[in-house]
Amino acid sequence: MSEVWRYLVAFAVWPGLLGAVPLGWLMLWFMRKLTARLQGRRGPPFLQPFYDVAKLLGKATVVPAGVRRGLFLALPVVSLAAVTAALAILPLPGNPVPALPGDVVLLLYLLEVPVLCEVLAGYVSRSVYGQVSAMREALLSLAYNLPFLVSIIAMAQYVGSFEMQALQAAPYGPVHAVAAAAFLMALPARLKLNPFSIANAEHEIVADAHIEYGGPPLALFKLAHALEIVLLVGLFAVVFVPVTPWPALTAVVYAAAGVALLAGITALAAVTARLRLAQAFRFYWVWGGCASALTVAAVLVL
Amino acid sequence: MNLLERVVAIGRRRSPWVCRLNAGSCNGCDIEITPLLSPRYDAEQVGVQLHGTPKHADIVLISGTLTLRSRRAILDLYAQVPAPKAVVALGSCPASGNVFADSPLVLGESLDTVVPVDVWVPGCPPRPQAILDGILRAARLLEEGATRSQQGESVS
């Protein structure tokens, strides 16, 4: 199999679109079901995320007046493509893509693209609520990215390489635990879950930055969000969960870690209320900053 | 109907997203929508989600007597819902004006003359079960392509 084909398979099949979309739906269903059970409700049926997307794809597209049609419709596509590309270079078990020098940097860039698309979507839509949401998202990304980026970059420093596969194969040590704590701190905000669901606060600003989106473009944004969950859970598993020499066993270990991680952040989201933007910002720059400093210190000392 | 259309049609029945519009209601009907999302009725188990924006919605719940000022708001909101869409009228007010009929401030006509209504949920206010039933009826109409907007009826 030539190099190009490997990338195409990784992008379109596994760990790209064809494999990750059902996985993302499974994760979304799990989170919604668990939230419902914690609230004493029955929760959505197993195929609910699939039905939602199928229905949205079958609806008409409404472009608001005075909005540039091309830009409005390109944003969800770019967002989805960036998340899929990031998944394609994530060394999950069974990924056909060979090691790529510097793919950690590429991955971190691609991770920011959906956030950027969200911010642009809010501003482009000409909706006041969308603009407030975009502003909140942009400010929040300045906050949560401190512990998030430090945790990944510190691991790269620890390993002495910017290759995902080197990070994955690093001998397990106390640095992993410290950096994982900083990563976990940023995760709820990255996934826009309580207590950091500030940019998608439906009670205050009606909806998230996709307020003016409906039909197929909204479906693409929903898909991108589902894939983002897969990507971030996968990234956590690859970087912070010990790898085994057997791919099948590694897949099982990653799946178990993913379930535990999702259950944890969903439970956190179910028992907390939404913080204000200033409180979240302060939390990330004070406690996230402390965690980041601790992580860097651990890498330099250990 | 090919397979793809069938899947989309099932999606329309299983994932009715709702947005509501108070067209001059006393808030009685609106307060009865809230328990739908609570553990007792849990509308999410049949895929119902309440959305604040009409752009995300499939079904519009309209409650209340139509006042002189709400007519334009109804038309505006209805136009923003991407097709296919359904309208559910909540309570007695949209049909008849109820106790407010003949007031100089209300539109002396039924909601049907403003937008094509698919399901009427009677009651003052209707019980939450009745509202959920109305939403699911509308969702089934969406699946069958039988809502009045899907049949080609347009806004008055």
Side-chain angles (χ1 to χ4, degrees):
Chain A
M1 208 159 46
S2 75
E3 194 98 320
V4 178
W5 275 105
R6 281 170 190 268
Y7 279 104
L8 277 179
V9 167
F11 187 85
V13 185
W14 174 258
L17 280 177
L18 219 57
V21 166
L23 195 59
W25 284 335
L26 179 69
M27 288 180 175
L28 268 180
W29 170 80
F30 176 71
M31 292 164 80
R32 284 174 66 175
K33 186 80 176 174
L34 186 62
T35 309
R37 295 307 301 160
L38 288 172
Q39 292 173 345
R41 295 187 287 118
R42 291 187 69 97
F46 183 65
L47 291 177
Q48 191 59 48
F50 164 72
Y51 291 138
D52 289 347
V53 167
K55 175 209 67 180
L56 284 173
L57 286 175
K59 280 177 82 78
T61 306
V62 178
V63 180
V67 172
R68 285 176 66 175
R69 192 181 174 84
L71 184 58
F72 186 79
L73 297 180
L75 285 171
V77 178
V78 171
S79 179
L80 185 63
V83 182
T84 315
L87 270 168
I89 55 171
L90 197 66
L92 292 171
N95 191 340
V97 167
L100 189 70
D103 53 3
V104 173
V105 181
L106 180 58
L107 192 75
L108 291 179
Y109 268 112
L110 287 172
L111 267 167
E112 289 313 306
V113 174
V115 179
L116 196 66
C117 285
E118 204 118 306
V119 173
L120 285 176
Y123 280 121
V124 160
S125 68
R126 285 168 49 100
S127 155
V128 180
Y129 298 112
Q131 288 171 5
V132 171
S133 171
M135 180 272 291
R136 289 179 174 195
E137 175 77 38
L139 280 177
L140 203 57
S141 80
L142 292 182
Y144 65 64
N145 266 333
L146 174 69
F148 183 81
L149 291 179
V150 165
S151 69
I152 301 291
I153 293 169
M155 288 308 296
Q157 166 73 21
Y158 174 64
V159 177
S161 159
F162 268 116
E163 262 177 46
M164 283 311 293
Q165 292 191 349
L167 259 66
Q168 188 180 25
Y172 208 68
V175 174
H176 279 81
V178 181
F183 184 95
L184 288 179
M185 214 176 231
L187 196 59
R190 276 222 85 115
L191 293 177
K192 298 200 215 41
L193 292 171
N194 264 349
F196 304 108
S197 60
I198 298 165
N200 53 338
E202 72 278 7
H203 306 101
E204 302 159 22
I205 50 173
V206 184
D208 42 18
H210 324 135
I211 178 162
E212 290 297 324
Y213 281 83
L218 182 64
L220 294 188
F221 266 130
K222 297 270 174 205
L223 279 180
H225 181 64
L227 290 187
E228 222 181 337
I229 300 175
V230 179
L231 176 62
L232 287 164
V233 170
L235 182 64
F236 176 83
V238 163
V239 178
F240 299 113
V241 173
V243 67
T244 64
W246 307 279
L249 184 62
T250 305
V252 172
V253 171
Y254 281 4
V259 169
L261 185 62
L262 285 175
I265 56 173
T266 307
L268 176 75
V271 299
T272 50
R274 184 175 305 125
L275 291 174
R276 280 188 286 115
L277 183 60
Q279 290 170 325
F281 209 87
R282 191 183 165 81
F283 170 81
Y284 276 121
W285 276 91
V286 174
W287 298 109
C290 289
S292 306
L294 201 66
T295 308
V296 174
V299 167
L300 295 180
V301 172
L302 296 170
Chain B
M1 193 185 268
N2 63 30
L3 183 69
L4 216 58
E5 286 171 351
R6 183 82 202 111
V7 168
V8 170
I10 293 175
R12 281 175 189 157
R13 172 166 54 87
R14 301 296 297 259
S15 156
W17 289 1
V18 167
C19 100
R20 61 182 189 80
L21 173 66
N22 179 334
S25 164
C26 68
N27 212 30
C29 293
D30 305 284
I31 220 89
E32 296 297 319
I33 297 173
T34 322
L36 288 186
L37 311 171
S38 71
R40 178 171 287 272
Y41 298 107
D42 185 26
E44 198 187 9
Q45 64 181 296
V46 284
V48 176
Q49 276 184 19
L50 193 64
H51 281 261
T53 158
K55 294 274 169 69
H56 296 187
D58 307 295
I59 297 173
V60 194
L61 301 179
I62 302 181
S63 60
T65 316
L66 311 179
T67 66
L68 296 180
R69 296 174 70 177
S70 61
R71 184 191 163 91
R72 243 191 71 198
I74 296 171
L75 288 172
D76 226 31
L77 188 129
Y78 183 78
Q80 286 187 49
V81 179
K85 51 193 163 187
V87 175
V88 177
L90 284 192
S92 309
C93 287
S96 63
N98 206 2
V99 294
F100 307 105
D102 291 340
S103 158
L105 299 175
V106 307
L107 219 58
E109 49 192 74
S110 109
L111 178 62
D112 227 10
T113 60
V114 184
V115 288
V117 177
D118 295 295
V119 179
W120 300 89
V121 182
C124 183
R127 291 189 61 82
Q129 304 93 306
I131 299 177
L132 191 55
D133 182 56
I135 293 172
L136 294 183
R137 274 166 201 262
R140 193 165 283 279
L141 289 178
L142 280 171
E143 179 194 20
E144 293 160 357
T147 65
R148 288 172 61 190
S149 71
Q150 280 165 305
Q151 298 287 337
E153 278 187 52
S154 58
V155 179
S156 65

